[in-house]
Each structure stands twice: as structure tokens, then as C-alpha cells.
């Protein structure tokens, strides 16, 4: 059957060829390492512009160093920013590569049919914006503005959120909940009445014992967190890392617990058992602040370390010893909540087990545990009240996932597929800053949704996979060429950071605030966009805080005093937790009455069949998801991922270090591209590991195309968390097809 909306690879176009050539000459970008660039240009910077980094969502405040010719020479961290302490991570330093990447989107594109084949043609901005506004009006007239949805991640999202809300839709979602940290927010909220949030309020700096369940700090490069981790190691804090792989963090740990994947809940219950059985939990805190200890005690009575050993492969003596280490350090102890926690579909319960363990140790609100965060609170620029939508993301849930506290991206995809029993159909997508086919493992549903949607607008900087979905592609300029909202991240102290354009937008690219305003005006929403330039908005907001734009321009960031004095709970004072009982809930009646386990239980997960290995994945220090895969500065540091295989397994399959193999999963899906083999004792024999974000199939990404394999492609079994809708991605198993892979790889080079 001929599909209505074909997936277009932008490579089919000859777009921007002239522009590429002239830009190459202009910048002389022979792709040097940014370090060399920095050195040779060190003395030549004549201007510093403040920004905050957009290469990941830690948002480090930084300075762009610019020369007289208006070229960005390098980026450095802002010394006054507690999120980075003056240092950028390798990705942040390499951010310049995002600007001077010749493969960038350069003009708006509109989907057309030429000679019976779908393709894109270049369009002017007025043409593209008119097209979108007309379509939006048409769709809103038929189905209401609520049927226009936004998928977003990053700064562009704020501007399109404002646009959609002004138009009457709050059908807005992001992959950062159901593909990332949603389960832990649900787990902590049902226990402490508070979410963890981003950045995490983990007081690693002052901790005496840090327990990492998977969280691979050091590969997960969230800046100040990594710095604090390294300080904690230097100060002699006990680090306990639970990971089937010897991660960088595990390598720095006093205890590495190479757990059998998917069994963490058993370990957590057993730790809880030891704390209660040996009566080494934080009695004062538990008596004062918690409820449900009696039920918890009965619940874990049989979960001895001997029981857990059979499940997790972690020795009983190690389980006892590590539990005692935690108790010794309490309350300055942190069982880290993790961040990407959508693993096995029972992730909210695993996160709840982590929260309960923290509650037993009294670390929530303690120095060296979790601190109470503070933010600056930046007022909205004045605009008329948003119209009240008739429905929003809770209706899109369609009665599912009662403990989802934010929108669930996957349900948006389902609601975009025509069906008679869908009372709240989604008809149009705005996609800003998220590469949906790589971020959400639901390719077949996405394909179906694409047949039924009436409009898909993708706002991106690069021709990544998601641009192939669009009816209209809009080229956003990079973060170094634009204004965005003031940064107000909640942390130990409130801060406000400024992002100003370091250079003018290149080619025809435009900032998201401008694009949103242009569409808004075409929809008659002038009153919501009463500014010529986004600097006016920022300037007004700063004024309300008693600050000036001039001050922010010269400092980049201001650190404000906390409105509530201490980031820690006063042990002598009572505290009302925002749970139904007002206490930390070891036993949750809310969960029980919704039909969920009131205290977490361990349920075994399916095991790989003979000849298959569990596919697990994570981060590399020099890349962020798929967004950096084509960055010339960062591909110089790492341009492909590899698959980690235990030597025993390698010899069984005849896999050799440095050679290539295809991976095939339990559903017969073979990786599009071969992946390099890394033979290493640092991974359990029953699992293989790869870094997420590689294996791009868009030819227009000239550096990333065909480099390494794409984990998402192999994640065809998704286990949805019934509490909050998260997409568990680690129940996939792969085997190897090495024959011919190395030869094919060599032929392709
Ligand atoms: N460099 C870099 N840093 C990043 C990012 C990036 O893209 N690049 N992204 C940021 C974002 S948004 C997020 S969400 C975080 C993600 O970073 P984390 O939250 O740290 O991610 P995890 O999923 O815990 O990490 C993967 C680790 O879990 C281990 N693992 C796999 N299966 C299991 C299991 O069953 N049990 C246990 N205990 N461990 C297991 C893997 O071996 C691997 O070491 O990183 C952030 N920091
Ligand atoms: N298989 C698998 N799936 C995962 C994960 C995993 O580890 N494995 N991790 C999950 C996690 S933790 C997260 S948080 C999500 C992340 O999901 P995403 O944020 O969607 O991740 P990326 O793949 O980096 O896609 C980012 C897109 O934004 C574009 N972009 C970059 N900068 C800008 C900009 O300034 N403006 C605009 N308009 N666009 C920009 C990039 O070109 C790219 O197309 O993925 C989740 N999905
Ligand atoms: S941690 Fe690195 S990539 Fe993330 S915002 Fe900071 S410097 Fe940028
Ligand atoms: Mo994430």
C-alpha cells in the first residue's frame, strides 16, 4: 500500500550545495580538533558573549570567545556558575562544532511530490510560515486547537509551548519523562511527596557514602555532578556501584556489585531487610518523619541476602557489608535516584525501593544526602491569559497510568493513530529539539501516526532522522546564534544566567522565539507576542528581579540568596511531606487503592534464550544522545560506538577485538550497520553494551552516517510501566552475525 506520508531522507535533495561550498571556504573548516583551534586563536578573541550550553540539559553557563571577524574561537565555563565551576565538559567545549557544521539545515523545506515521488523543496520563510498557520487554523476549526501537539526537548520548547498555549493547546510532551526520568519522579513522589527534578538535588559534595544503581557518572557527564563525584572520591567517601558493567564510576568504587541485569529490586529489598533486621536504620528520622515501618518490616522479612544472592549473583556478605556502610554514613548517604531509569517496566517501583531506602537512612533533607533546592522564580512577560483548553495530556492518557505526573510522549503517538474509540485525537505535531525515531522506541506506531497526521512541523538544527517525518522543516539557528529564556535552574542557590547570540544566525536559520512569534502573528495572536526582539522580554524579566540586562551581559550569571535559609531539614523541627499522610510513606495507600503494590516487590523478568545476550546501553563522555553524532569536534574524539562483549562470549562466537559484527535481536531485526567489537572483562557474560546515539541512516549527516549501530532500532520489545507509562527498553536480546561484517565495513569506507 502506498503510504500517505513517506519518510524522506533529506539526502535525496541537492539542497544548499552552493552554500556548503562557500561556507567551507569562509570558515576554512578542515575539521581541526577544537583544542588546536583554541590554542592557535587564544590571543585573538576580542569579545566575550555570555551563553549557557545546550549540548545537554545541565545548562552550564559559559562564555563564547569571538574574534574581530565574528568567528567563535572557543567556549569556556563561567567561573561563577555552580553548575560548572568554570569548566565545561568535552561536549560543552565542542559546542562550537554545532555552529560550524556544514551539514546543518539551512533553509525552510516543504514536502512536495515530484515525478510521483515525495521530496522536499526549499521554501522562503514567509511561504513556510503561511503554510503552517493556514493548516493550523484549518485543523483547529475541525478538531479544536487541542489536537495540535508539541513534542519538545530543550530551549526551543519553551517558545513553542508559549505559541501552542496562546492558541489554546496544552497538548505538550517531551521524552524526558516517559523515556528518561519519569519513573523516579513517580517513585519519589509516592514516597516523599516530592519529585527529584533536574538538576538532581544530590549533595554528592558532602556525602560519606554514595550508591549508584546503574547511574554511570563520569560517562553520564552532567558537569558539577561529575566534579562533586570526583571530589567525593578524593575525600574518601565510600562509593558503591551496582552495574553489570565496570563503568568509570564502578572503577572508582570501593564496591563494584556486578549485578545480574533486571534484578535490582531484589538487591534493594534485601538491603532494606538488612537495615531493619540489624536495626541499623536511622531510628530518629524514621520515628519522626515516616509511616509504614511495620508493614515494611513484615514485607521484607524473607528477603534475606541469601535469597537475593540467588537472584542477583551478589554475595550475601557483600550485601550485608554494603548495607552497613550505608548505615554508618547515614544520614550523609545517597542512594542515587539515577536519571535514565526506564529500564524494565517496573521502574517506578524500583525507584520507590530506592526512595524507601533513602527514607530509612534519613538522607532526604540531610547534608550529604538530598538537599532542598531553591530557584529564582522568573515572572512571565505580560500577555493575556491563555485560553483554557477543553482537553490536555491527562485526557490523552485515556485512563491509563494513574501515577504519571507529566505527559507521556508514547500516548501522544498512540493518540495520533486514527481509531474510533479515541475521543481526543491528535491531528498535528510540532517537533522541536527531539529526534523522535531515535528517542522513543515505537517506530511502528510512529509510522502509523504519520499516515494519519494532517500536519507535521519539525524545527531542528540538523537533518536528523526526525526531519524525514515533516511536511515542513524549519531550520533553527544554534544556541550560539540566539536568545533564549533566562536560565533559572533550581539548586543549592538560585541563579539566573543569560544566553545572548555570539554571532548572527548562519544561512537562513532563525531562533525559535522568532519562529513562534511569526506563526503566532499569522494566527492573530499579536497580544501574546508584544515585543520586537527577545532581549526586550529578558530585560523586562530582569527588571522585575531588581537586575539589569547590562549586569547580566557583563557577568553572564548572577547568584541570588536563598529565600528559605537552609538547604537541609532541621532535625529538631517537624516537617510536612506532601504525601497523603504528611509523612515519608514506606507503605502507600494511594498505590494500594489504585491496585498497585503498596510496597515494591521483585518480579523476575524474561531471560535471553540460548545464544542471545541482554542489550544494555548508556552514554559516552564526549557525546549527547544522537544530537552530537555529526559534530565535527566531537566525532574527532569518538566517531562510532562499539559493542562490549565478554571474552568468553567473544571466543564462543569467533568475535575479534576491533573487527565488526551485525547485531540481530529477538524479533529478527538486524542492525542497519555493523558495529565494532570490543572484547572486555568489564562486562558480564550475559549482556552486551553499547553507547546510545550512533548508527545514523541519514546520508546528509556526512560524519555520522553509517557509523556504529543504533540501539533504538534493536529495542522492539518495550515494557510499559503501568504506574506512569515509561518505556522500559532493556528487555531486548541480541545475537551476532559477524560473517562478512568487517569486509562490508571496509568496502564502505
Ligand atoms: N555524556 C553524556 N552525559 C549525559 C547524557 C548524554 O547523552 N551524554 N545524557 C544525560 C541524560 S538526559 C541522562 S537521562 C543521563 C543518563 O545517565 P544515567 O542515569 O547514569 O543512565 P543509566 O541508564 O543509569 O546508565 C547506564 C548504566 O546502567 C547500567 N545498567 C544496564 N542495565 C542495568 C541493570 O539492570 N541494573 C543496573 N544496576 N545497571 C544497569 C549500564 O551498564 C550503564 O553503566 O545522562 C545524562 N548525562
Ligand atoms: N534507545 C535509547 N533511547 C533513548 C535513550 C537511550 O539511552 N537509548 N535515552 C533517553 C533519554 S534519557 C532522553 S533524555 C531522550 C533524549 O531524546 P532527544 O532529546 O530527542 O535526543 P537526541 O537524539 O539528541 O535528539 C535531539 C534533536 O534535537 C536537535 N537539536 C539539537 N539542538 C537543537 C536546537 O538548539 N534547536 C532545535 N530546534 N533542535 C536541536 C538535534 O539535531 C536532534 O534532532 O532519549 C531517550 N531515548
Ligand atoms: S554538562 Fe557539558 S554538555 Fe552539558 S551543559 Fe554542561 S558543558 Fe554543556
Ligand atoms: Mo535523559
Amino acid at each position: 500500500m502506498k503510504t500517505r506520508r513517506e519518510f524522506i531522507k533529506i539526502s535525496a535533495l541537492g539542497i544548499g550545495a552552493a552554500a556548503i561550498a562557500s561556507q567551507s571556504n569562509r570558515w576554512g573548516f578542515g575539521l581541526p580538533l577544537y583544542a588546536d583551534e583554541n590554542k592557535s586563536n587564544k590571543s585573538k578573541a576580542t569579545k566575550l558573549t555570555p551563553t549557557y550550553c545546550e549540548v545537554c540539559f545541565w545548562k552550564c553557563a559559559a562564555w563564547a570567545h569571538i574574534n574581530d571577524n565574528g568567528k567563535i574561537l572557543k567556549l569556556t565555563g563561567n567561573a561563577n556558575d555552580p553548575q560548572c565551576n568554570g569548566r565545561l565538559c568535552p561536549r560543552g567545549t565542542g559546542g562550537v562544532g554545532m555552529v560550524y557544521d556544514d551539514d546543518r539545515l539551512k533553509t525552510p523545506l516543504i514536502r512536495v511530490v515530484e515525478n510521483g515521488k515525495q521530496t522536499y523543496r526549499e521554501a522562503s520563510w514567509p511561504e513556510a510560515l503561511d503554510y503552517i498557520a493556514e493548516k493550523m487554523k484549518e485543523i483547529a476549526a475541525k478538531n479544536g486547537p487541542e489536537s495540535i501537539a508539541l513534542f519538545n526537548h530543550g530551549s526551543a520548547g519553551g517558545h513553542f509551548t508559549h505559541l501552542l498555549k496562546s492558541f489554546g493547546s496544552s497538548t505538550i510532551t517531551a521524552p524526558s519523562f516517559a523515556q528518561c526520568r519519569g519513573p523516579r519522579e513517580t517513585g519519589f513522589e509516592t514516597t516523599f511527596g516530592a519529585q527529584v527534578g533536574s538538576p538532581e538535588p544530590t549533595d554528592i559534595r558532602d556525602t560519606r557514602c554514595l550508591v549508584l544503581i546503574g547511574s554511570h557518572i563520569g560517562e553520564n557527564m552532567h558537569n558539577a555532578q561529575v566534579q562533586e563525584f570526583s571530589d567525593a572520591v578524593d575525600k574518601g567517601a565510600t562509593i558503591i556501584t551496582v552495574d553489570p558493567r565496570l563503568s568509570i564510576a564502578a572503577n572508582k568504587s570501593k564496591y563494584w556489585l556486578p549485578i545480574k541485569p533486571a534484578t535490582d529490586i531484589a538487591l534493594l529489598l534485601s538491603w532494606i531487610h538488612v537495615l531493619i533486621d540489624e536495626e541499623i536504620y536511622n531510628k530518629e528520622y524514621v520515628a519522626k518523619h515516616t509511616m509504614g515501618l511495620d508493614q515494611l518490616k513484615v514485607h521484607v522479612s524473607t528477603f534475606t541476602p541469601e535469597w537475593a544472592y540467588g537472584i542477583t549473583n551478589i554475595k550475601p556478605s557483600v550485601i550485608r557489608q554494603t548495607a552497613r556502610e550505608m548505615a554508618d554514613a547515614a544520614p550523609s548517604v545517597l542512594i542515587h535516584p539515577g536519571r535514565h531509569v526506564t529500564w524494565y517496566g517496573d521502574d517506578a517501583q524500583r525507584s520507590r525501593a530506592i526512595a524507601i531506602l533513602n527514607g530509612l537512612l534519613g538522607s532526604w533533607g540531610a547534608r550529604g544526602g538530598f538537599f532542598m533546592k531553591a530557584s529564582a522564580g522568573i515572572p512571565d512577560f505580560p500577555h493575556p491569559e491563555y485560553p483554557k483548553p477543553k482537553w490536555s495530556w491527562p485526557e490523552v492518557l485515556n485512563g491509563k497510568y494513574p501515577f504519571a505526573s507529566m505527559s507521556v510522549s508514547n500516548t501522544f503517538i498512540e493518540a495520533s493513530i486514527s481509531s474510533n474509540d479515541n475521543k481526543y485525537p491528535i491531528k498535528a505535531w510540532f517537533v522541536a529539539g527531539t529526534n523522535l525515531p531515535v528517542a522513543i522506541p515505537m517506530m511502528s506506531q510512529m509510522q502509523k501516526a504519520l499516515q494519519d497526521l494532517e500536519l507535521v512541523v519539525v524545527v531542528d538544527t540538523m537533518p536528523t532522522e526526525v526531519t524525514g517525518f515533516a511536511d515542513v522543516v524549519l531550520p533553527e539557528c544554534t544556541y550560539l546564534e540566539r536568545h533564549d529564556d533566562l536560565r533559572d535552574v533550581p539548586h543549592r542557590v538560585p541563579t539566573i544566567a543569560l544566553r545572548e547570540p555570539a554571532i548572527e544566525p548562519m544561512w537562513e536559520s532563525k531562533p525559535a522565539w522568532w519562529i513562534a512569534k511569526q506563526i503566532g502573528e499569522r494566527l492573530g495572536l499579536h497580544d501574546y507576542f508584544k515585543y520586537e526582539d527577545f532581549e526586550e522580554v529578558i530585560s523586562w524579566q530582569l527588571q522585575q528581579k531588581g537586575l539589569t540586562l547590562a549586569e547580566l551581559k557583563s557577568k553572564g550569571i548572577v547568584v541570588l540568596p536563598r529565600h528559605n535559609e537552609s538547604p537541609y531539614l532541621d532535625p529538631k523541627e517537624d516537617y510536612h511531606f506532601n504525601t497523603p499522610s504528611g509523612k515519608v510513606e514506606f507503605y502507600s495507600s494511594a498505590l494500594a487503592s489504585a491496585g498497585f503494590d503498596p510496597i515494591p516487590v521483585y518480579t523476575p523478568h524474561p531471560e535471553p534464550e540460548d545464544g542471545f545476550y541482554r542489550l544494555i546501553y548508556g552514554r559516552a563522555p564526549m557525546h549527547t544522545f544522537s544530537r552530537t553524532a555529526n559534530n565535527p569536534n566531537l566525532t574527532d574524539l569518538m566517531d562510532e560506538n562499539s559493542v562490549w562483549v565478554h571474552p568468553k562470549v567473544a571466543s564462543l562466537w569467533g568475535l575479534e577485538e576491533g573487527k565488526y559484527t551485525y547485531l540481530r535481536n529477538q524479533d529478527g531485526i538486524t542492525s542497519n550497520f555493523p558495529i565494532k567489537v570490543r572484547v572486555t572483562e568489564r562486562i558480564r557474560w550475559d549482556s552486551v553494551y553499547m553507547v546510545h546515539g550512533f548508527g545514523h541512516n541519514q546520508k546528509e549527516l556526512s560524519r555520522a552516517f553509517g557509523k556504529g549501530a543504533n540501539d533504538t532500532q534493536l529495542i522492539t520489545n518495550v515494557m510499559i510501566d503501568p504506574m506512569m507509562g515509561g518505556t522500559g527498553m532493556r528487555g531486548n536480546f541480541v545475537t551476532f552475525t559477524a560473517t562478512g561484517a568487517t569486509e562490508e565495513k571496509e568496502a564502505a569506507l
Side-chain angles (χ1 to χ4, degrees), residues 56-57 89 91 153 179-181 212-222 242-245 247 257 259-264 336 338-341 343-344 614 616-625 683 689 692 730:
C56 86
F57 301 114
C89 84
R91 302 168 297 152
H153 207 192
Q179 282 68 49
C180 178
R181 53 199 172 80
L212 300 173
I213 318 275
S215 305
H216 52 335
I217 298 179
E219 285 151 292
N220 157 359
M221 274 308 280
H222 278 168
V242 183
D243 197 310
R245 183 182 68 99
S247 61
L257 280 53
I259 195 166
K260 180 172 170 183
T263 66
D264 296 77
H336 198 287
R339 187 174 175 107
H340 173 68
V341 285
W343 298 356
Y344 301 107
R614 188 181 296 273
I616 59 178
Y617 53 79
R619 311 282 177 241
M622 59 295 268
H623 281 283
T624 305
F625 320 119
I683 180 97
Y689 173 82
H692 168 65
R730 289 188 183 158

Side-chain angles (χ1 to χ4, degrees), residues 37 46 93 96 226 271 363 385 493 558 577 615 665 668 692 736:
E37 272 257 314
T46 49
T93 313
V96 188
V226 183
W271 271 336
S363 64
E385 220 177 294
V493 285
V558 288
F577 289 84
L615 174 67
N665 81 357
H692 168 65
F736 312 97

Side-chain angles (χ1 to χ4, degrees), residues 31-44:
L31 318 183
L33 259 178
Y34 57 87
D36 295 345
E37 272 257 314
N38 293 347
K39 218 187 311 158
S40 59
N41 289 302
K42 211 169 211 156
S43 57
K44 295 185 204 151

Side-chain angles (χ1 to χ4, degrees), residues 187 190-193 269 272 275-276 281-283 285-297 299-300 349 352-364 579 581 583-589 591 597-600:
T190 47
T191 311
F192 291 109
L269 291 172
I272 294 172
L275 292 183
I276 296 179
Y281 60 90
N282 186 334
K283 296 212 184 74
Y285 187 96
V286 168
K288 196 170 175 66
H289 292 307
T290 72
M291 60 76 73
L293 179 68
D294 291 343
Q295 287 111 315
L296 183 64
K297 195 170 178 173
H299 182 78
V300 299
Q349 290 286 8
R352 213 173 109 68
I354 291 174
I356 291 172
L357 193 55
N358 277 299
L360 276 174
L361 294 161
S363 64
W364 186 265
T579 53
S581 63
K583 300 273 183 195
V584 177
E585 297 199 344
F586 294 157
Y587 180 96
S588 166
S589 314
L591 284 177
D597 294 318
I599 307 177

Side-chain angles (χ1 to χ4, degrees), residues 195-447:
Q195 302 197 356
V196 178
S198 175
E200 290 78 10
T202 43
D203 208 8
I204 299 175
R205 188 173 74 184
D206 286 326
T207 201
R208 295 179 51 224
C209 177
L210 174 64
V211 184
L212 300 173
I213 318 275
S215 305
H216 52 335
I217 298 179
E219 285 151 292
N220 157 359
M221 274 308 280
H222 278 168
N223 198 333
Q225 179 169 245
V226 183
Q227 296 182 27
E228 291 194 21
F229 173 70
S230 151
D231 290 349
V233 172
D234 289 348
K235 284 198 281 189
T238 302
I239 315 287
I240 300 164
T241 299
V242 183
D243 197 310
R245 183 182 68 99
L246 184 72
S247 61
I248 289 179
N251 206 17
K252 301 241 177 264
S253 300
K254 180 165 172 191
Y255 301 92
W256 170 37
L257 280 53
I259 195 166
K260 180 172 170 183
T263 66
D264 296 77
I265 295 182
L267 173 66
L268 288 158
L269 291 172
S270 187
W271 271 336
I272 294 172
H273 168 96
V274 175
L275 292 183
I276 296 179
D277 187 53
E278 299 190 1
E279 296 195 28
I280 51 174
Y281 60 90
N282 186 334
K283 296 212 184 74
E284 210 181 324
Y285 187 96
V286 168
K288 196 170 175 66
H289 292 307
T290 72
M291 60 76 73
L293 179 68
D294 291 343
Q295 287 111 315
L296 183 64
K297 195 170 178 173
V298 173
H299 182 78
V300 299
S301 60
T302 55
F303 302 145
T304 59
E306 287 68 23
W307 165 82
Y309 176 47
I311 298 168
T312 61
N313 302 164
I314 309 297
K315 287 202 181 99
S317 59
V318 174
I319 297 179
R320 288 203 168 83
Q321 214 174 334
T322 45
R324 289 172 196 150
E325 291 262 12
M326 294 178 216
D328 277 350
S332 297
V333 51
L334 255 173
I335 323 305
H336 198 287
R339 187 174 175 107
H340 173 68
V341 285
T342 50
W343 298 356
Y344 301 107
D346 53 3
D347 307 300
Q349 290 286 8
R350 185 184 65 254
S351 295
R352 213 173 109 68
I354 291 174
I356 291 172
L357 193 55
N358 277 299
L360 276 174
L361 294 161
S363 64
W364 186 265
R367 184 182 288 279
F370 293 84
F371 58 79
M372 303 298 183
K373 55 199 168 187
S375 55
I378 294 169
D380 277 355
F381 189 75
H383 61 74
E385 220 177 294
Y386 291 131
K388 198 171 162 12
K390 292 199 188 67
W391 53 273
S392 181
W393 64 265
E395 283 76 20
V396 177
L397 290 178
N398 205 7
K400 292 187 278 192
Y401 319 132
F403 290 87
S405 56
M406 286 184 217
S407 59
V408 175
S409 53
N410 12 322
T411 61
F412 277 45
I413 297 169
E414 286 158 5
S416 308
I417 303 171
S418 288
S419 121
N420 287 338
D421 45 56
N422 185 359
K423 279 194 288 179
Y424 306 104
I426 290 175
K427 296 290 181 187
W429 289 3
F430 269 82
V431 183
T434 169
N435 192 8
L436 295 180
V438 178
I440 307 182
M442 294 180 66
M443 199 53 197
S444 61
Q445 285 98 321
M446 267 189 250
Q447 299 278 19

Side-chain angles (χ1 to χ4, degrees), residues 153 434-435 439 459-460 464 476 482 619 626-627 692 711-712:
H153 207 192
T434 169
N435 192 8
V459 186
D460 208 296
T464 50
E476 193 184 13
R482 67 186 195 222
R619 311 282 177 241
S626 80
R627 72 186 56 211
H692 168 65
D711 56 339
T712 313

Side-chain angles (χ1 to χ4, degrees), residues 16 57 64 66 72 124 159 245 290 305 527 602 640 664 671 721 731:
F57 301 114
I66 307 146
I72 306 169
S124 70
H159 305 293
R245 183 182 68 99
T290 72
D527 289 353
Y602 167 72
E640 64 185 314
R664 179 165 52 82
S671 58
D721 192 312

